[in-house]
Amino acid sequence: MSLEGEVLRLKDERSAVLLAHNYQRPEVQDLADYVGDSLFLSRKARESDRPVIVFAGVRFMAETAKILNPTRTVLLPDLKAGCGLADSITADQLRAWKTDHPGAVVVAYINTSADVKAEADYCCTSSNAIKVVEQVPAGKEILFLPDMFLGDYVRKRTGRAMHLWVGDCPVHAKLRPEDLERARSEHPGAPVIAHPECGCATQALPHVDRVLSTDGMVRYAEETRVPEVLVATEVGILHRMRKLNPVTQFDPIDAGAICPYMKEISLEDVRDSLRFNQYSIDVPADVADRARLALERMVAA
Ligand code: 13P
Ligand code: SF4
């Protein structure tokens, strides 16, 4: 039997749902039940009635799934699938930051560990960060973490004063305004869509047509009728864009924008996760209980 056939058979046998992030390898995306951004996949995980959730994404996404749907088995097919941005703040660092700002409201991006989420009042993703920050009562001091570029963008869009943690994504921070300028001069007239984690998105905002989450970018790709679009994010997303819209040409700002964590999971890993029940993600109950309200606010926003 082919590898694809084995994955589908095991998925069926175990009544599992396979969730894949937009940056996953094309062959993994193609076999998933749902492909999307971190908010969409969190909602799918939360509402899943299947006993097993295989998360083809990164660890913080699998932890989020476990916290939101604790009675399910959540499998992350490769434990090396971490996140450089999530690693930029620990729970101890956050506790110290909170001590310096008593009474402040903590808004944590989903790209954080479960321990960090347990210290947060609200969680958000790139697609609803503005909405979430707008829910914080006016006049409250806000600590936003860990992505400074997303934080800066949200600060500009909402006009709210926020303290920003100085963290960034190693893949998106590398995309600089100079890269954007070069791509724009090589492809004159092509609109630019950018993920808010990009260094170029906030620093060169006037040259960016749309700042969007990965699903926002996919929807834009599906709807646009222009001949060419410049894309500032991890290149894994191009597979879905090109599949949904074979007419428009989608060019990356930087073809080397590859997230090594997102590429850890192969189709063999997905098959083995179902075959050997690996690697089951558990979040200690006290941590999960403290993180759940912030995550419920995120999925509701
Ligand atoms: P999205 O929620 O937009 O999919 O972003 C997740 C991520 O990790 C981007 O680097
Ligand atoms: Fe983390 Fe950046 Fe990879 Fe997204 S692209 S998973 S933020 S390291």
Side-chain angles (χ1 to χ4, degrees), residues 21-23 36-39 58 60-61 83 109-111 125-127 169 172 195-197 212-215 233-234 262:
H21 187 264
N22 288 319
Y23 297 158
D37 68 4
S38 51
L39 183 61
V58 290
F60 71 77
M61 295 179 182
C83 169
Y109 193 29
I110 186 172
N111 298 44
T125 74
S126 61
S127 68
C169 156
H172 287 88
H195 195 275
E197 287 173 20
L212 297 163
S213 77
T214 59
D215 263 7
T233 193
E234 209 273 352
M262 283 284 183

